[in-house]
Amino acid sequence: MSFIVSKRNICIINTLLLSLFVSYFVAIRPEDLAPDYHIYLTMYENPDARLSELTFLFFQNIYTSFDNGFYYLLFTYAVLSIFTKIYALKDQNSINVIIFSFFYIISFFPLWELTQIRISLSVGLFFIFLMNNKWRILPVLSILFHYSMVFFVIPYYFYLILKRNIFYYIFSMIFICFLTLLVIKYTPYAVYDVLENQAEYNIFSIKNLLILLIICYNYKYSYFDSRYVEIATILAISSCLFYFILGSSYPTIVIRLMDINLFLIISSIIFLPNSYQNLILKIVLVVPITIFYFYMNFIGESSLINTEVLIDFFKSGVF
């Protein structure tokens, strides 16, 4: 009897193996390689010290009984986060996968996989849902892994309720943003008030301008090219509204939202069909952005990654 493995199962196996391989090195990374390591270690050792999602507490309760349980927690988050983002690409052509990988590894891998691990997994779950439009439970799970995803999941369903009418959607989201501004002070997110956090809020940043330009481009030329482009565009609109309305009061929250926003909206350009015009647009857009993030993440004066620690990690013979 012959044993036949479907292409889908081969894709899942290969994605899992790659995720396991990369996640091993993510989990054993030096503690001074990137920010937030000690924050997560504190959350793991003392769950009451900081607001944590139920999912984080679930894994924390499991791994506290293990020796070196914190490494298993980091490994679990990394595997799930990396797997979701890779598997979401299964229907994309090789050119789009290469461009996306180049963009993500340099721009967002250091920020999410090595720093904001809860957001990273949450985005991965929502990303795979948007790319495949399956497993309707994923948006809810994304919120359970990081509560900030409520700022994307609710606008998504609100857009569907309004039967994809973008003008009704914009006016409705303005109302929701002001309502959120009134209500948020009674939620755990109140700790991110501007008086408690000195995050830099700049409404006229290049990032915001770039996002607005891509929104306009997508709406005029590419809005109906794919479901992902459409949804990424309307979520970019709502994120910008949250940024403009909530930003002066809760800068830390909206800055994180705009990071997710940038990831989704740039991806919407990357996943456009590879016509000559679109391919040129991808190169012109992705290359400068990736160079900028390479500087910010690795070689800038206040770089996210400690490159000296990274070099020593490579020299240690871990590979």
Side-chain angles (χ1 to χ4, degrees):
M1 182 177 68
S2 61
F3 181 72
I4 300 175
V5 181
S6 67
K7 290 183 178 179
R8 177 177 177 274
N9 289 338
I10 292 175
C11 177
I12 293 174
I13 292 171
N14 290 336
T15 301
L16 180 59
L17 290 175
L18 179 58
S19 302
L20 290 170
F21 176 76
V22 176
S23 298
Y24 169 76
F25 297 105
V26 170
I28 66 170
R29 66 186 183 273
E31 61 184 49
D32 295 325
L33 179 64
D36 287 11
Y37 185 96
H38 293 285
I39 293 176
Y40 282 111
L41 182 58
T42 300
M43 292 171 61
Y44 174 78
E45 295 176 342
N46 185 12
D48 296 327
R50 191 180 176 95
L51 174 67
S52 302
E53 294 81 10
L54 293 177
T55 47
F56 186 90
L57 295 175
F58 171 77
F59 289 118
Q60 186 268 345
N61 286 328
I62 292 176
Y63 292 132
T64 47
S65 60
F66 289 73
D67 292 334
N68 299 317
F70 182 62
Y71 294 107
Y72 290 109
L73 183 141
L74 293 178
F75 180 76
T76 300
Y77 268 81
V79 168
L80 295 175
S81 176
I82 295 170
F83 179 87
T84 53
K85 296 184 186 75
I86 296 175
Y87 189 71
L89 306 176
K90 64 183 179 64
D91 295 325
Q92 291 294 316
N93 61 64
S94 57
I95 294 177
N96 288 352
V97 171
I98 291 172
I99 295 174
F100 175 85
S101 301
F102 172 71
F103 162 70
Y104 185 81
I105 291 172
I106 295 176
S107 302
F108 282 93
F109 188 94
L111 176 64
W112 286 345
E113 312 304 337
L114 298 177
T115 308
Q116 301 171 355
I117 62 173
R118 287 145 56 227
I119 285 182
S120 181
L121 176 51
S122 182
V123 170
L125 292 168
F126 193 56
F127 181 55
I128 198 172
F129 168 73
L130 294 182
M131 291 291 287
N132 296 279
N133 196 24
K134 298 177 181 178
W135 307 301
R136 300 305 174 103
I137 192 64
L138 290 181
V140 176
L141 285 178
S142 72
I143 295 175
L144 294 178
F145 276 97
H146 201 278
Y147 297 141
S148 65
M149 289 307 295
V150 72
F151 290 97
F152 292 90
V153 174
I154 288 180
Y156 166 75
Y157 284 112
F158 210 80
Y159 178 66
L160 298 185
I161 291 172
L162 294 173
K163 299 182 178 179
R164 300 187 172 185
N165 186 307
I166 192 168
F167 298 106
Y168 289 159
Y169 172 77
I170 291 174
F171 287 115
S172 300
M173 285 307 306
I174 291 174
F175 171 78
I176 290 176
C177 288
F178 280 109
L179 181 63
T180 303
L181 184 61
L182 296 175
V183 172
I184 198 170
K185 66 179 70 175
Y186 303 107
T187 73
Y189 276 103
V191 300
Y192 294 108
D193 185 274
V194 67
L195 298 177
E196 301 293 332
N197 293 267
Q198 299 301 316
E200 295 184 5
Y201 169 70
N202 180 10
I203 196 172
F204 299 109
S205 69
I206 295 176
K207 179 194 292 187
N208 293 346
L209 176 61
L210 177 63
I211 290 172
L212 290 173
L213 289 174
I214 296 176
I215 289 173
C216 294
Y217 178 87
N218 279 353
Y219 185 72
K220 184 172 183 179
Y221 297 107
S222 309
Y223 191 64
F224 297 107
D225 279 9
S226 74
R227 174 182 175 274
Y228 181 82
V229 173
E230 177 187 357
I231 300 302
T233 303
I234 64 102
L235 293 179
I237 293 172
S238 61
S239 296
C240 287
L241 292 173
F242 278 122
Y243 187 90
F244 299 145
I245 296 173
L246 272 65
S248 60
S249 300
Y250 299 94
T252 302
I253 295 175
V254 297
I255 288 171
R256 290 187 177 183
L257 294 184
M258 292 304 274
D259 286 333
I260 301 172
N261 190 5
L262 184 68
F263 167 76
L264 294 176
I265 201 69
I266 296 295
S267 299
S268 73
I269 296 294
I270 293 174
F271 298 142
L272 291 176
N274 284 313
S275 64
Y276 177 78
Q277 176 181 324
N278 286 345
L279 196 56
I280 295 298
L281 175 62
K282 294 176 188 184
I283 295 173
V284 170
L285 186 64
V286 170
V287 171
I289 290 175
T290 305
I291 292 173
F292 170 78
Y293 271 99
F294 179 80
Y295 174 81
M296 296 296 293
N297 289 337
F298 296 100
I299 62 177
E301 187 174 333
S302 302
S303 60
L304 185 69
I305 301 299
N306 188 326
T307 51
E308 292 183 1
V309 173
L310 181 62
I311 292 171
D312 290 339
F313 183 56
F314 281 111
K315 289 182 177 179
S316 66
V318 70
F319 290 96

